[in-house]
Amino acid sequence: MARRVGIVGVAQTKYEKKPAMHLQDLSFEPVDKVLQETGLKFTEDGTGIDATISCSQDHWDGWTISSKNVVDGAGGHLRPEEKVAEDGAYALYYAALSILGGHYDCILVVAHTKESQVDGRLIENAGLEPLFLRMLGLDFTSCAALQATQYMQRYGISPSQCAKVVVKNRGNAMYNPYAQAPEIVTVDAVLGSPILSDPIRLLDAKPVSDGACALILAAEDKAKKWTESPVWIEGLGCCYDRHYPGYRDLTDPLSLREAAKRAYGMAGISDPRGNIDLVELSEYYSYQELLWSEGLGFCERGDGGRLLESGATQIGGDTPINPSGGLLSGVPVNVAGLNRAVEAVTQLRGEAGKRQVDGARTAVVHGTGGVCGQMHCVIILRRGL
Amino acid sequence: MGERVAIIGIGQTDHRYIRPDINHEEMINEAVREALEDADLTIRDIDTVIIDNMDLFEGHYLSDTMVVDGAGMYLKPGLKINTGGTSGATAVATGWHHVASGVFDTALVIGWQKQDAAPSIAALVTAREPLYDRDMAAGAVGIFAGMGLSYMQESGCQEEHAALARVIMADNARRNPHAHLKPDLTVEDVLNSRVLVWPVRLLHMSPTSCGACALILANEKRAKKAAKPPVWIKDLETAHREQSVFRGGCVEPKPAISAIEVASSRLYKRNGITKPARDIDVWELYTPSSWALFPWMELFSICEKGQAWRLVEKEAIRIEGEIPIEPSGGVVSTNPIGASGVIRVAEAALQLRGEAGEHQVTKKAETAIASAWGAASWIVVFYLSRNL
C-alpha cells in the first residue's frame, strides 16, 4: 500500500432498544464521544478531520437519503460526506481507500441503525429479488434456515454445536458494557427457545437492537501524532457472490474466502490461525460463526463445530472469536461490521477490560451483507509498535 | 498524492419513461456491455465495481445484491453508494478514490434507476425529517418554485427566460440519441404548460426515467494503453449542507449559504481556475428544473449574481455558444435518478473526447465541469480535462 492508514479513535453507544431516541441523536452520540476522545475537529486546513463517510440504510431509517440525518452532527455541513449503503465494514474499507488515494488524510466514519422502529422482516423481504423470490414471503431468517440446514446436514454440525456459539458469545458479552444481552445462557436454554425458522431458534438469532458507532482514521504521519496507540489497517478485501441462494453452494462461503484471500495477501498473512490473535466476525445467526470461521481459513471446511468445541475460539484460546459477544449479544445491522472494528481496536489497544484478549496484536474484522452472506468484507488490523 | 485517474470507457442505455422489455439487471447490463465495448475490454479487465441506486425509490433493499450477474460483479470486490440526487456522482468519486488508492488498476462505476417499477416520488417524500418536516409531503417541485420565485424577484428574470432555457435543453436533447424527452418546443409551449407550483410548470420539471450509465476508470498506466483517448478526472470536491434548517427553502438564511458555491470555489482554487467561463469549455451541471439553471450558473461563478438570465437570453449556453451548458439536454430532459450523476460525467467526457456526435459543442473542448445535485442542496463537482 502507498501509505499506511491508522485508526486513531473509536466510540460506540450502548446497544439496546432506544425508542425515545431520534435518529440524529443516535448517530451523534458516538461522533461526539470520538471527537472528545481524540480532541480532533472538522477543519479545512489539514489539522483535523477532512471528510465523513457514513453508513446507514434508507429502508431501516424509513428515511430516503438516510445520511441526511447524519450530516448535521457528523461534520457534513458545507463539507464532504459520502454514504456507503452496505454493512459498516464497507464504510471503513472505503474510508481507508480514500486515504490511500491521498485526497483525504483524516476521515470520520459513523454508522447507525434503529432496528426497533420497523419490522425488519419486511425490509429483508424487499432484499430479495422481486420476480421469483419476494412473493414467497421469504426473509433473511427463513433463507438462513435453508443455509443452516444444508450446512448442518452436509458436515454433521449439530444443533448443540450451534447453541454453544450462543453460550460463548452471550457469556463474553457479560464483560462488555455496551452489549444488549449480557446473560449466561445454557445449551438447553438455546435448544428450548422458540423456533423462528427451523433449525434457527430465537436464541440462535441476533436480537433486535438500536445503536451507533464511530471511528476516526488518518494517514500514518497524522495518526502517529494524534495517538500513542494507533491501530493500522494492514489489509482489506471484499467480494460479491450471486444473489439467488439456489445458484450458490450455501455451505461454501465463496465470497468470504475471496475477500479473506485479498485481505490476507495484502497483510502478508499466510497462516490465518497462527498469525491472527483475535477475530470479530458478523454472526447474524449462531451457525454463521462456524461457517464464517471456515471461510476465514481458521479450519478446514466442515470443521467449524470442532474448532468451537476445541475451545480455540474462546477468550484465552488460540483464535478467540467475538470476545465482545458478537452480534448475538445485540448489535444492529449496518452498525455490525463497523462495531466489529471498534471492538477489535479496543482489544488491540489493550482497553477491553474483562473481555481483553491478552497480548492481541493482529485482528480480523468481518462484515457481511445480503441474503445468506452474499457479500463479505474482511479487514486486517494490527497494533502499532 | 495517489494514482492519477482517467475515464477510458463510457456506456449508457437509451433513457425511456418505461422499459417493460427488460428487468433492472438486464438494463444495467446494456450500459455495462456498451462501456466495455467502448473501452475494448472484457469484464475480466475490471478490478472492482462501484454501483449506485436509490434503493428506497426502487423498492429494493440492498439493490446491488440483486444485479450481481448483470453488472459483472460476480466474485469481484465492490460496494454500493447512495446519497440522493448526487448518488451517481458520489459513485464516480468512490471509483476515483478506489483507483487513486493504487489497490485497483480499473474500476467499473454503474448508476441506474428503473422508475417504471416503483413510485419514486412517494419515496422522495420520506427525505424530510420525520417529526417536523415530513407532514409537508413535499417532493422536489416546491424547492424549485421557491428558487424561481426568489430569483425572479432579485434579478429581474421573467418566466420567458426560464421557458427559453427549457427550449434550449429540449433542442439539445433532440440531438442526443440517449436522451429521454425530446420535444420540439417553443417558449409559448412552455409558458402554456400547466402550473405545478408557480412558477414551475410541468415542462420545467425533469421526467421519471429508466436508464443506466456505466463508466470505466483506470490508472495512468492502463489509461495510456486505452483504446479511446483518456479523459482525466483531475480533481473533485463534494459538500453537503445542514438539512434541519432546510424546510424546503422556506426559511433559508439570507444570504443563502450554498454548497455549490463552497464546493466549486474550493475546486477552482486548487486547480488555478480563476475565470470559470473562460477556463472551462463545457458544463454538464445537474438541473432537475429549468429554474435551477440560473442560480446554478451564478453559484458556479460562470457569471455575476443576477446575470445568468441575460446569458440565457443571449443564447450563449447553446451547443454552438460561448458557454455551452447541458449539451446533452441535461437532467430536465433525462432523469434516471441513480444514473443521472454518472451521465453528467459521461456526457462531459464524451464532449472532451470529441465523440458527442450531433450534440458535440462547437468550440474546442479541453476542459469540463460535471456535477450532480441533490438532497439538502448537496453537490459533487468534477474537473475533467483531456490533458494529464
Side-chain angles (χ1 to χ4, degrees):
Chain A
M1 287 192 270
R3 57 179 185 168
R4 285 172 105 191
V5 179
I7 296 170
V8 299
V10 296
Q12 53 186 328
T13 63
K14 182 168 170 60
Y15 299 101
E16 60 194 346
K17 289 182 186 173
K18 299 170 185 288
M21 233 175 178
H22 193 289
L23 288 169
Q24 283 175 307
D25 298 327
L26 184 62
S27 58
F28 183 63
E29 189 181 313
V31 170
D32 191 34
K33 272 200 235 174
V34 79
L35 292 178
Q36 287 185 23
E37 181 202 310
T38 58
L40 292 171
K41 292 187 163 59
F42 300 108
T43 61
E44 283 180 37
D45 58 2
T47 58
I49 298 164
D50 299 321
T52 302
I53 291 178
S54 70
C55 169
S56 57
Q57 294 279 358
D58 292 8
H59 282 77
W60 285 98
D61 281 10
W63 190 336
T64 196
I65 322 172
S66 57
S67 52
K68 277 184 97 173
N69 72 62
V70 181
V71 293
D72 298 4
H77 182 53
L78 300 177
R79 299 169 48 79
E81 185 276 335
E82 292 173 346
K83 186 186 93 183
V84 171
E86 291 300 345
D87 175 73
Y90 285 84
L92 175 57
Y93 168 96
Y94 174 38
L97 288 175
S98 299
I99 292 178
L100 284 177
H103 198 62
Y104 302 122
D105 281 346
C106 178
I107 295 179
L108 168 75
V109 185
V110 54
H112 75 270
T113 302
K114 191 175 174 184
E115 288 183 342
S116 68
Q117 67 177 6
V118 277
D119 185 342
R121 294 172 300 179
L122 297 177
I123 292 173
E124 290 170 357
N125 179 250
L128 291 159
E129 186 284 325
L131 296 178
F132 300 103
L133 291 177
R134 201 174 294 173
M135 78 287 277
L136 296 172
L138 296 167
D139 58 23
F140 285 6
T141 302
S142 49
C143 290
L146 301 173
Q147 184 173 38
T149 302
Q150 278 193 36
Y151 174 55
M152 291 164 76
Q153 289 199 344
R154 177 167 300 177
Y155 293 114
I157 302 286
S158 68
S160 70
Q161 283 176 321
C162 294
K164 283 174 189 165
V165 173
V166 186
V167 173
K168 169 179 74 72
N169 289 2
R170 295 284 281 262
N172 290 350
M174 290 294 288
Y175 306 111
N176 180 356
Y178 302 104
Q180 180 191 33
E183 185 187 353
I184 299 290
V185 297
T186 62
V187 169
D188 286 345
V190 177
L191 296 179
S193 65
I195 285 178
L196 296 179
S197 185
D198 185 41
I200 295 172
R201 292 171 183 273
L202 184 66
L203 290 178
D204 284 313
K206 180 192 91 56
V208 170
S209 190
D210 306 334
C213 64
L215 59 74
I216 294 175
L217 61 169
E220 181 166 12
D221 51 333
K222 290 184 179 173
K224 281 182 172 162
K225 204 162 62 186
W226 290 338
T227 176
E228 288 171 2
S229 50
V231 169
W232 304 107
I233 295 178
E234 297 283 326
L236 35 79
C238 64
C239 188
Y240 280 100
D241 201 340
R242 292 214 156 89
H243 180 65
Y244 295 94
Y247 284 3
R248 290 187 253 159
D249 175 355
L250 293 177
T251 69
D252 176 13
L254 177 60
S255 54
L256 175 55
R257 291 196 286 115
E258 285 295 318
K261 194 162 84 183
R262 287 170 183 277
Y264 292 162
M266 217 180 268
I269 288 171
S270 51
D271 167 21
R273 189 154 170 198
N275 300 150
I276 288 161
D277 306 318
L278 162 78
V279 184
E280 283 287 345
L281 58 73
S282 293
E283 76 320 358
Y284 288 82
Y285 308 96
S286 56
Y287 79 91
Q288 287 186 344
E289 181 170 309
L290 309 179
L291 188 53
W292 301 163
S293 64
E294 297 169 19
L296 286 164
F298 301 128
C299 60
E300 294 297 315
R301 281 177 65 183
D303 277 346
R306 278 184 284 278
L307 179 74
L308 172 91
E309 287 184 324
S310 74
T313 63
Q314 292 183 355
I315 297 174
D318 64 50
T319 311
I321 296 181
N322 287 335
S324 64
L327 305 195
L328 290 175
S329 67
V331 180
V333 61
N334 306 323
V335 176
L338 193 63
N339 169 261
R340 311 270 55 68
V342 168
E343 276 295 327
V345 169
T346 308
Q347 288 280 356
L348 295 177
R349 285 174 165 186
E351 294 169 358
K354 283 186 179 171
R355 64 190 188 284
Q356 181 66 45
V357 173
D358 287 337
R361 184 157 180 269
T362 304
V364 169
V365 167
H366 162 258
T368 180
V371 62
C372 298
Q374 186 188 342
M375 56 195 293
H376 294 269
C377 182
V378 177
I379 298 170
I380 313 299
L381 302 180
R382 199 166 282 154
R383 188 180 67 200
L385 289 173
Chain B
M1 285 299 284
E3 296 281 337
R4 293 189 275 197
V5 185
I7 298 162
I8 62 162
I10 301 169
Q12 60 180 311
T13 59
D14 288 346
H15 308 291
R16 298 290 176 258
Y17 183 57
I18 53 168
R19 285 297 303 269
D21 53 322
I22 50 173
N23 71 11
H24 46 297
E25 188 169 8
E26 292 162 332
M27 188 181 75
I28 291 164
N29 192 253
E30 280 186 10
V32 170
R33 280 177 189 279
E34 199 179 296
L36 289 169
E37 204 171 299
D38 181 58
D40 195 21
L41 295 176
T42 72
I43 197 69
R44 290 178 199 282
D45 297 306
I46 302 299
D47 295 339
T48 185
V49 182
I50 311 300
I51 192 159
D52 93 271
N53 164 253
M54 290 304 295
D55 52 4
L56 197 66
F57 292 9
E58 205 68 45
H60 296 177
Y61 168 53
L62 303 175
S63 56
D64 53 328
T65 63
M66 297 170 210
V67 298
V68 166
D69 292 331
M73 292 145 77
Y74 177 57
L75 291 186
K76 287 198 196 298
L79 51 87
K80 178 170 112 256
I81 288 292
N82 162 331
T83 61
T86 47
S87 277
T90 308
V92 178
T94 305
W96 187 82
H97 289 302
H98 273 64
V99 176
S101 75
V103 175
F104 305 100
D105 288 350
T106 59
L108 171 65
V109 177
I110 306 165
W112 65 282
Q113 204 81 45
K114 198 161 189 297
Q115 296 189 77
D116 59 359
S120 48
I121 297 303
L124 187 57
V125 169
T126 72
R128 300 306 168 107
E129 192 282 331
L131 294 180
Y132 303 104
D133 279 356
R134 197 167 293 173
D135 286 352
M136 295 193 301
V141 180
I143 298 169
F144 300 109
M147 206 177 272
L149 205 54
S150 61
Y151 187 74
M152 282 200 288
Q153 206 164 32
E154 287 163 13
S155 71
C157 173
Q158 300 292 315
E159 273 201 83
E160 286 73 12
H161 301 109
L164 177 60
R166 181 66 188 88
V167 168
I168 292 172
M169 289 189 217
D171 290 346
N172 296 354
R174 284 203 308 282
R175 294 158 70 168
N176 173 4
H178 297 293
H180 175 186
L181 297 182
K182 303 176 181 185
D184 192 354
L185 290 178
T186 64
V187 168
E188 288 68 37
D189 292 336
V190 181
L191 293 176
N192 290 331
S193 72
R194 83 183 158 90
V195 169
L196 299 177
V197 181
W198 193 80
V200 176
R201 295 172 185 276
L202 185 64
L203 283 172
H204 284 307
M205 284 308 297
S206 53
T208 51
S209 316
C210 298
C213 184
L215 290 181
I216 297 169
L217 308 182
N219 61 12
E220 192 174 343
K221 199 175 108 208
R222 297 291 294 267
K224 289 197 162 157
K225 285 188 274 180
K228 293 278 177 72
V231 172
W232 300 94
I233 302 180
K234 302 278 280 187
D235 198 2
L236 59 87
E237 181 66 41
T238 178
H240 287 353
R241 200 178 60 175
E242 199 244 355
Q243 71 104 20
S244 287
V245 296
F246 186 53
R247 310 272 196 279
C250 302
V251 290
E252 181 92 327
K254 296 277 180 183
I257 308 164
S258 164
I260 297 180
E261 198 164 17
V262 168
S264 60
S265 59
R266 280 182 195 147
L267 185 88
Y268 295 158
K269 197 172 160 198
R270 278 207 300 271
N271 294 281
I273 298 167
T274 49
K275 198 166 184 312
R278 178 199 63 201
D279 299 340
I280 302 299
D281 301 321
V282 58
W283 303 79
E284 274 290 340
L285 307 178
Y286 184 111
T287 42
S289 165
S290 22
W291 279 107
L293 180 69
F294 310 113
W296 272 211
M297 285 170 70
E298 295 169 12
L299 295 169
F300 275 103
S301 308
I302 294 172
C303 59
E304 296 291 317
K305 290 268 183 322
Q307 299 300 310
W309 65 274
R310 293 183 198 275
L311 281 176
V312 172
E313 194 175 37
K314 281 193 265 176
E315 307 199 12
I317 64 165
R318 280 196 183 271
I319 286 172
E320 297 81 7
E322 276 170 69
I323 308 167
I325 302 177
E326 319 292 46
S328 66
V331 175
V332 80
S333 302
T334 307
N335 191 19
I337 301 169
S340 292
V342 188
I343 296 170
R344 304 280 70 69
V345 182
E347 284 290 343
L350 283 175
Q351 293 286 349
L352 298 191
R353 275 187 185 176
E355 289 187 356
E358 278 191 50
H359 64 294
Q360 179 69 40
V361 299
T362 309
K363 72 194 274 194
K364 190 161 184 276
E366 297 273 340
T367 57
I369 292 283
S371 79
W373 178 93
S377 243
W378 298 355
I379 189 84
V380 186
V381 197
F382 297 91
Y383 174 40
L384 307 182
S385 174
R386 275 177 65 96
N387 307 308
L388 186 56

